[in-house]
Amino acid sequence: MKTKEHVVAFYADDGEGTYDELVIDFYNHYYDFNSKTGEKFLYGKDNTVPEIKLNNEDLHKIFDTIKLLYSGKIGPAAYLTKADFEEMESGKPVIDKITLWKAIKRELPKKELDRIISFDYRYEKDDYYDFKLIIDGIYSVMSGDISVDYFTSWLILLMRCLDDNILKNEKIKDEYAELANYFDGFAFMDHCIGKKKKLIECREIIAIVKYANHKIENLKKKKLTDFTTNNVITYISFGFSLDDGNMCIDRVCVVDKKRKRINYMYIKEIDYREDINYTLLPNAEFDDLPSRYVKGYKLDSSMTADYAVTK
């Protein structure tokens, strides 16, 4: 959930000392529903979003309606109470940051990597984000220098390292968390079947990491800049699925800022190019593009998805 100004959290006592919580992003049409949540882990307790307490019956009535309208995820929270969490974590051995940096650099064998990604261990906190090392790791699996199995374990390591950081900047922490969540989800997908599919999916990961890095650098520099290639913005958003979910149709918007031209199109399973910087948007933000570019921009249907490098 990115746009916290459009997020509202509802929670209710479940009668067992913990809470059910429904977090709704009204802008992106997305929800999270978590049960057995300790008070410390309620989404709205950091005072960045409204947190509304309801009785349990009313909470579930809202949830029954919202899950018919929005996409989202359902699951138990990671820990029951603050005390349970602290007791569980305090008893775990700690993996030091020297070892973790070796793992990020892919200097550990697969057996050792698999050992330290176990949740039986805690991680020493550090800022483990390194854009170049992440990109290098993706290229390593593309070239065959590391196996798909090693790459999958390495993604899980990155997920955990990005979550266990020492940052105080909440916006950058949110970007780390979003990237970590993507690595976590991709690691457990049925992917990388065949060389061609592996290369296509790795180029998609590169596009996602490059855009995440652009946002992180903007936050560090306290700037807001477009992610362009040759002064062209290439927006991508998921459109819909076909063939029982086996085929993805993406929405693409290409904006030439210098010429004041724009084009919209649907692309079947876009093949991401490494020489194009893609701006990856949730559906709601993509839907806002026509109003953003209504003044001064003309339609140019000749601009294709790879226009930024072929114009």
Side-chain angles (χ1 to χ4, degrees), residues 27-157:
Y27 181 67
N28 289 309
H29 295 183
Y30 189 86
Y31 69 82
D32 273 327
F33 183 85
N34 292 312
S35 58
K36 300 295 182 185
T37 306
E39 185 175 2
K40 176 184 176 181
F41 304 102
L42 290 172
Y43 188 81
K45 284 301 179 183
D46 60 1
N47 296 317
T48 59
V49 303
E51 181 92 68
I52 301 170
K53 188 173 183 179
L54 303 172
N55 64 57
N56 206 268
E57 182 180 358
D58 288 343
L59 176 70
H60 281 268
K61 285 180 180 178
I62 294 174
F63 178 49
D64 287 342
T65 299
I66 211 70
K67 67 184 179 182
L68 297 175
L69 302 173
Y70 294 173
S71 60
K73 62 183 180 182
I74 305 171
Y79 308 103
L80 297 182
T81 66
K82 180 179 179 179
D84 290 339
F85 168 72
E86 292 176 346
E87 181 179 356
M88 183 184 300
E89 289 297 292
S90 65
K92 294 180 180 179
V94 178
I95 303 296
D96 63 89
K97 63 183 180 182
I98 294 176
T99 300
L100 292 169
W101 276 112
K102 286 182 178 179
I104 293 171
K105 295 174 182 178
R106 308 177 312 283
E107 295 174 355
L108 298 183
K110 176 71 161 53
K111 184 176 181 180
E112 178 64 8
L113 179 60
D114 285 342
R115 181 184 72 84
I116 68 172
I117 64 174
S118 166
F119 283 90
D120 291 335
Y121 295 94
R122 288 183 290 153
Y123 286 2
E124 182 179 359
K125 292 187 180 298
D126 197 10
D127 183 356
Y128 290 107
Y129 179 77
D130 188 305
F131 172 69
K132 184 178 184 303
L133 288 178
I134 295 174
I135 293 295
D136 286 348
I138 302 168
Y139 281 137
S140 291
V141 74
M142 293 174 74
S143 65
D145 290 340
I146 60 174
S147 68
V148 172
D149 286 343
Y150 190 101
F151 182 65
T152 299
S153 296
W154 182 75
L155 288 177
I156 296 171
L157 170 86

